[in-house]
Amino acid sequence: MNIPVKTDFNEYDLNKRICIYQGNGKFLITGDIIHNDNIEIYYNFPNSPSIEFITSEVITSEKFVDYDLYSFSIDLIQTDNNLMGCISGTGHSFNKANNTIDYLDGQIKEISSVTIEDVDRLEFCLLNCSSAGESKNEAIFFQTEDWEISLQPIQNKNENKTKVSQSFSVTHSGSIIRKDRKIFDPDDAEKVIKGLEWLLSLLNEKVVEIPMFFGYLSEEKLFERYLSVNTESNEYKRVWLNIEEHFTDLLPEVVEKLDDEIWGGVFGQLLEWYIELNHGRLIENQIITVQVALELISWNYLVIEKEKIDKSSFKSTWKSDVFRMLFEEFKISNHFNDFNLHSELNNYNGDGAYILTDVRNNIIHPDKKQVFSKDAYYTVLSFGISCLQSALLYLLNYKGKYKSKYSYIFRNVSQN
């Protein structure tokens, strides 16, 4: 598979704002269309990945006579080259005496082409994706039933500055085409794009999003979309040690799960919790979160999908018994040898489900049965996250071994 990427994202200087548009346009202000002759729109990387706009001329309109200083709203922006975006916040000076807006700037959540034409490929870039499963800076390829995706790591000219400042970096360029090479509506690729973002976020244990897309038909650019994204500063950390060999095989499964009536919303929530687990500062909250995540999987799988237990029985059953049932279904070992490293955990005989639920209960209830050390908490958290990782991989039909920072041993995921 060979997908050409035409757009050179290496040209972007990430210590500066990227100009998206300069020229004429119009705003939707309190329901009125107001024209302006000088609008500038930028993609801002240095502080946070966001879209900003500014007007360099005073905005005048006879309609301003009826405006109230405290109640008028600025909602939409549209450029003369067919871009439209929703304004998420503004700074402005409304001069009631002259009925003018003396200056106006603000932020845009998303801006894209108003008229969407069919294209033969989408090109995009990734921000702060430490790893996409590639090795030695080689391209990596994904396939689903209908789509082919190519990702190419790029060496940004600001790489050294980025490592020092831990700011934001374009780490990969990518391209999406249909397998049958037919042209397509850019919106048709939304599901596979969301699946790719989900999978890369799982691998990197942080939010990975795509800030900009360009759609082409042959060499003509027909479509643009820019998004303000919620990602973290660039910091490389290898977190999955043995999943990368089969990593690309997971994308079709992710796309299917995100589109599934039972699992779609759940998978989004699980990813949020998983990322929170890896960035939380209060270990007690992390232990509570990992149990809630495992409970959600247990409910969805045992009650909703497989109907192995009814709703009332699930609610009345000890959660340790529910987890043992889930672990048995998913071939996850309930025994964790590291429990023996801490004297306060010896009484549990290595029963992972019991200790996870009992320690969680001890955290949330004011009448403490026992005081646990931070080291013991970390051991319990490591077991819980390892089980969550195994459960997610099982649900994605992964087969094989993996190892992460939460497990000192290789863990096996089996579908048999």
Side-chain angles (χ1 to χ4, degrees):
M1 178 169 48
N2 182 20
I3 308 173
V5 177
K6 302 293 186 182
T7 306
D8 189 0
F9 292 103
N10 271 312
E11 293 300 315
Y12 292 160
D13 185 342
L14 299 185
N15 288 317
K16 299 179 180 178
R17 297 183 300 175
I18 299 171
C19 182
I20 296 175
Y21 178 80
Q22 285 183 316
N24 299 334
K26 52 193 174 184
F27 296 95
L28 183 65
I29 303 179
T30 315
D32 296 319
I33 297 175
I34 307 298
H35 291 266
N36 185 259
D37 292 335
N38 201 327
I39 295 175
E40 299 174 13
I41 304 176
Y42 296 91
Y43 203 102
N44 179 38
F45 282 109
N47 298 317
S48 63
S50 58
I51 309 166
E52 301 173 348
F53 73 90
I54 188 170
T55 58
S56 57
E57 294 184 359
V58 173
I59 303 176
T60 61
S61 173
E62 60 184 20
K63 297 177 181 179
F64 290 166
V65 174
D66 300 322
Y67 283 14
D68 184 283
L69 175 63
Y70 301 102
S71 63
F72 79 95
S73 61
I74 306 172
D75 302 306
L76 293 175
I77 184 172
Q78 183 170 349
T79 66
D80 281 4
N81 71 337
N82 199 35
L83 292 176
M84 178 180 288
C86 293
I87 296 174
S88 57
T90 61
H92 55 267
S93 175
F94 181 41
N95 188 328
K96 183 61 177 176
N98 297 325
N99 290 313
T100 60
I101 297 177
D102 293 341
Y103 78 85
L104 174 63
D105 61 16
Q107 299 80 43
I108 302 171
K109 178 60 180 175
E110 175 183 340
I111 188 166
S112 62
S113 301
V114 177
T115 303
I116 301 178
E117 300 183 52
D118 286 349
V119 299
D120 57 30
R121 73 183 186 279
L122 285 177
E123 294 180 9
F124 61 91
C125 65
L126 291 174
L127 279 181
N128 298 351
C129 181
S130 302
S131 173
E134 74 278 355
S135 60
K136 298 180 181 179
N137 292 321
E138 296 177 350
I140 183 170
F141 302 99
F142 300 81
Q143 292 193 51
T144 67
E145 182 179 355
D146 299 316
W147 302 96
E148 294 179 357
I149 301 176
S150 170
L151 287 181
Q152 177 68 53
I154 59 178
Q155 299 297 317
N156 193 275
K157 59 187 176 182
N158 299 302
E159 181 178 10
N160 293 331
K161 295 179 182 178
T162 299
K163 288 182 177 178
V164 173
S165 65
Q166 298 298 298
S167 60
F168 299 92
S169 175
V170 173
T171 55
H172 297 75
S173 58
S175 186
I176 302 174
I177 62 174
R178 284 185 57 91
K179 272 188 174 181
D180 57 15
R181 300 305 189 262
K182 292 182 179 179
I183 60 175
F184 58 92
D185 185 320
D187 287 340
D188 292 344
E190 180 179 2
K191 290 180 181 179
V192 74
I193 289 168
K194 294 300 181 185
L196 182 66
E197 290 177 329
W198 192 100
L199 188 56
L200 293 175
S201 296
L202 181 73
L203 178 70
N204 289 270
E205 296 183 349
K206 62 183 179 183
V207 176
V208 175
E209 292 184 297
I210 299 173
M212 54 188 71
F213 301 88
F214 304 120
Y216 292 88
L217 184 61
S218 297
E219 302 304 315
E220 183 181 3
K221 183 163 69 173
L222 300 179
F223 174 78
E224 299 174 67
R225 178 173 291 162
Y226 305 87
L227 301 96
S228 298
V229 298
N230 177 31
T231 190
E232 301 172 49
S233 60
N234 195 36
E235 178 183 1
Y236 178 81
K237 55 178 182 178
R238 187 184 176 105
V239 289
W240 294 89
L241 300 183
N242 205 49
I243 188 178
E244 295 172 358
E245 180 180 354
H246 307 287
F247 179 64
T248 58
D249 297 339
L250 297 179
L251 181 59
E253 303 290 342
V254 172
V255 173
E256 182 178 340
K257 276 291 188 291
L258 290 176
D259 195 41
D260 185 79
E261 182 179 353
I262 294 176
W263 288 101
V266 170
F267 253 58
Q269 181 64 75
L270 289 171
L271 180 64
E272 287 184 23
W273 284 338
Y274 183 74
I275 292 173
E276 181 181 323
L277 283 170
N278 287 281
H279 296 273
R281 296 185 178 181
L282 188 61
I283 195 168
E284 291 86 349
N285 285 347
Q286 292 173 288
I287 291 173
I288 294 170
T289 299
V290 76
Q291 176 167 334
V292 172
L294 288 169
E295 280 189 47
L296 180 57
I297 292 175
S298 300
W299 170 269
N300 236 45
Y301 186 83
L302 298 174
V303 178
I304 305 302
E305 182 177 8
K306 299 299 182 181
E307 298 182 345
K308 290 182 174 293
I309 182 173
D310 61 48
K311 294 180 180 181
S312 59
S313 297
F314 181 92
K315 294 175 182 178
S316 62
T317 301
W318 291 103
K319 290 303 171 281
S320 55
D321 290 334
V322 170
F323 289 165
R324 292 187 192 99
M325 188 184 306
L326 180 74
F327 295 165
E328 183 178 356
E329 288 285 326
F330 285 12
K331 314 297 188 298
I332 297 173
S333 173
N334 186 44
H335 186 76
F336 199 43
N337 291 328
D338 284 358
F339 289 152
N340 298 324
L341 297 177
H342 304 284
S343 58
E344 62 258 52
L345 303 178
N346 286 341
N347 295 333
Y348 296 94
N349 298 317
D351 185 343
Y354 180 26
I355 192 172
L356 180 61
T357 54
D358 201 54
V359 170
R360 177 263 186 191
N361 291 337
N362 195 70
I363 290 171
I364 65 173
H365 295 144
D367 184 17
K368 307 296 183 187
K369 292 171 54 178
Q370 186 176 347
V371 177
F372 294 98
S373 67
K374 292 296 183 181
D375 285 343
Y377 275 155
Y378 184 79
T379 298
V380 175
L381 177 64
S382 297
F383 172 76
I385 293 181
S386 294
C387 291
L388 178 58
Q389 290 172 336
S390 295
L392 288 171
L393 292 175
Y394 181 90
L395 289 169
L396 294 174
N397 287 318
Y398 177 80
K399 304 177 185 68
K401 295 180 179 180
Y402 80 95
K403 184 179 179 182
S404 77
K405 64 183 179 182
Y406 298 106
S407 177
Y408 300 109
I409 60 173
F410 281 95
R411 299 174 69 90
N412 188 61
V413 181
S414 174
Q415 301 291 330
N416 298 323

